């Protein structure tokens, strides 16, 4: 399961490092202070009254750069009592010097002996700050959720659970396992102990939404915020996670599972679902013939597992059927697309999870007349799978080549449960509110805003002297948001300042002028055309951007 662990890390940490870099750097900075204190203890100088600021951050602050104290409370009076107690400071010094289980137990006892606060979260937080052998997940209940999930999913071996069950010991076991799996990445400095420690907490945060997209989602926001890029990136990682768990030896790729189209004003139901199209017959005469649209053909490809199981007449809900339930029917389910499912060693897994995910991305989803394009699919969007099957407008003309599910009622259509339908839209073209409410409620709506944190992280990797561009963009967007003629939806996306093709020898002032002249000013001029305030506002926005 090494690959799955790395896919999870890539999905949750590597692709979002800009979100965690601030925490990472604060963690690193405080740990450096711990190292300095450790060296002083070795030199028999120990912790003194001048270290009160360090102790306050370690023991008292709500967030000390490593972990929050959550609901735990330590009053300032109790804190002062702690740091004035020689036995307590002595046990803390011993733990900092030798952060092992024995010294941790003694420190825990010294904390309890104060009789003023006995919350293990605060004690565990000290451990997380003083050694990289434990994670930043200091709440033992939350850590146990992650630990149990990793074992249940087969990502870490079950024998780890048979050893010592206390928080400190299990943390050491888990962190050692993670570091062994990431030994090459640690050696090549593609990651470090701090990010791996943070990884455990981020795993906990995502357990309630287990590493997947919602099945129907619209990403909306200003131009240049990376909506389509994010959709591709997220679906790629979701596919990698699925493949490593269920079909590591298959030839399936993310490219084979994804379809991307772009809506436009003339896009119709016939393009999307099905319709009559002229086709030349053997005599060269045009005949109107039923042709499937791009989405229906995609659903036929993704739904073949459900269709074949429906033909077995099991009278079972698709989402409750396990691989074991289908083994008696293996001869009937003999297609190559079933082979890897039956080769899975864990027959208790659900077939609905084992079938591959398919991703249908609709770029500029708001540019078409959606009620006309979707037609009766409004029902299928709400009720997935065979139980949500409907007759389409051309159902009577369907045959084996164009139909999807043959029943006593004729050919029916349904949207398979393994399809992720993802739309993207620019809110400057049309607002979310302009969508039919019946359609809106069938999608999860996710705003994608300009991400100056991501831009700052990218510029720092690409050309550090250009990093101030992130602050320039932030100031510009603040002013655009405040301007009544424009507002929130007209912000400038961070993509306009990424992957710049200019020479890296240019100064930040020079690059700022070029980006403004080549990309940002022309865009703002289009937004402001006909308002009568173009010159005034362009000058004001330019000043905010720093030109």
């Amino acid at each position: 399961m090494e690959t799955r662990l790395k896919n999870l890390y890539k999905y949750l940490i590597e692709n979002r490092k800009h979100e965690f870099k601030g925490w990472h750097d604060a963690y690193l900075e405080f740990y450096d202070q711990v190292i300095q204190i450790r060296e002083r203890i070795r030199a028999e100088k120990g912790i003194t009254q001048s270290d009160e600021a360090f102790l306050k951050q370690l023991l008292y602050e709500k967030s000390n750069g490593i972990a929050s104290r959550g609901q735990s409370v330590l009053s300032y009076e109790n804190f002062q009592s702690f740091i004035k107690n020689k036995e307590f400071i002595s046990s803390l010094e011993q733990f900092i010097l030798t952060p092992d289980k024995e010294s941790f137990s003694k420190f825990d006892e010294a904390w309890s002996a104060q009789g003023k606060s006995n919350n293990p979260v605060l004690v565990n937080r000290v451990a997380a700050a003083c050694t990289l052998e434990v994670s930043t997940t200091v709440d033992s209940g939350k850590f146990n959720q992650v630990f149990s999930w990793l074992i249940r999913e087969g990502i870490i071996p079950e024998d780890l659970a048979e050893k010592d069950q206390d928080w400190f010991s299990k943390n050491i076991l888990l962190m050692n396992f993670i570091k062994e799996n990431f030994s090459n990445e640690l050696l090549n400095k593609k990651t470090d102990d701090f990010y791996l420690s943070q990884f455990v907490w981020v795993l906990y945060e995502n357990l309630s939404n287990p590493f997947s997209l919602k099945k129907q989602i619209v990403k909306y926001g200003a131009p240049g915020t990376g909506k389509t890029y994010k959709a591709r990136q997220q679906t790629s990682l979701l596919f990698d996670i699925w493949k490593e768990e269920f079909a590591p030896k298959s030839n399936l790729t993310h490219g084979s599972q994804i379809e991307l189209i772009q809506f436009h004003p003339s896009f119709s139901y016939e393009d999307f679902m099905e319709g009559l199209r002229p086709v030349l017959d053997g005599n060269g005469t045009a005949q109107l013939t039923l042709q499937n649209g791009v989405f229906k053909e995609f659903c036929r490809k993704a739904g073949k597992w459900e269709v074949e199981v429906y033909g077995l007449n099991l009278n079972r809900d698709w989402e409750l059927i396990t691989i074991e339930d289908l083994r008696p029917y293996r001869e009937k389910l003999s297609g190559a697309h079933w082979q890897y499912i039956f080769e899975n060693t864990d027959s208790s897994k659900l077939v609905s999870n084992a079938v591959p995910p398919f991703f249908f991305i609709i770029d500029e989803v708001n540019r078409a007349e959606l009620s006309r394009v979707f037609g009766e699919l409004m029902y299928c969007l709400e009720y997935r799978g065979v139980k949500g099957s409907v007759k389409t407008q051309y159902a009577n003309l369907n045959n084996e080549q164009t139909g999807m599910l043959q029943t006593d009622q004729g050919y029916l259509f349904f949207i398979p449960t393994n399809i992720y339908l993802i739309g993207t839209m620019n809110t400057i073209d049309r607002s979310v509110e302009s969508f039919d409410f019946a359609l809106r409620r069938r999608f999860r709506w996710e705003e994608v805003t300009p991400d100056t944190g991501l831009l700052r992280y990218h510029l720092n990797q690409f050309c550090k002297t250009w990093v101030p561009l992130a602050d320039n963009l932030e100031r510009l967007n603040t002013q655009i948001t405040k301007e009544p003629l424009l507002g929130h939806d007209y912000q400038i996306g961070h993509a306009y300042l990424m992957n710049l093709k200019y020479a890296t020898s240019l100064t930040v002032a020079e690059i700022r002028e070029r980006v403004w002249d080549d990309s940002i000013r022309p865009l703002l001029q289009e937004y402001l055309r006909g308002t009568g305030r173009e010159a005034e506002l362009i000058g004001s926005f330019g000043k905010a951007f720093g030109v």
Side-chain angles (χ1 to χ4, degrees), residues 484-496:
L485 285 175
L486 297 179
H488 179 78
D489 292 336
Y490 287 81
Q491 295 180 85
I492 306 298
H494 53 269
Y496 284 97

Side-chain angles (χ1 to χ4, degrees), residues 386-402:
V386 172
K387 60 186 177 184
S389 56
V390 297
K391 276 195 172 186
T392 60
Q393 295 178 30
Y394 296 90
N396 294 334
L397 297 178
N398 273 283
N399 54 37
E400 192 175 334
Q401 282 71 47
T402 60

Side-chain angles (χ1 to χ4, degrees), residues 63-122:
S63 179
N64 63 2
I66 290 85
S68 168
R69 69 185 185 197
Q71 300 299 314
S72 304
V73 176
L74 178 68
S75 70
Y76 187 73
E77 290 74 21
N78 287 347
F79 162 70
Q80 287 292 331
S81 175
F82 273 42
I83 65 174
K84 291 173 182 176
N85 185 285
K86 292 182 180 180
E87 288 77 13
F88 178 82
I89 293 298
S90 176
S91 66
L92 175 59
E93 288 178 340
Q94 186 57 44
F95 179 67
I96 292 174
L97 185 63
T98 314
D100 56 19
K101 183 180 177 181
E102 182 181 355
S103 59
F104 176 71
S105 297
K106 290 181 178 178
F107 172 70
D108 189 12
E109 291 170 5
W111 187 294
S112 299
Q114 296 299 305
K116 300 178 184 301
S117 176
N118 188 27
N119 195 310
V121 169
L122 297 174

Side-chain angles (χ1 to χ4, degrees), residues 1 49 77 123 126 179 226 265 278 289 307 323 461 535:
M1 287 292 181
Q49 291 183 351
E77 290 74 21
V123 180
V126 173
K179 289 173 187 178
T289 306
V307 170
I323 297 174
Q461 304 296 310

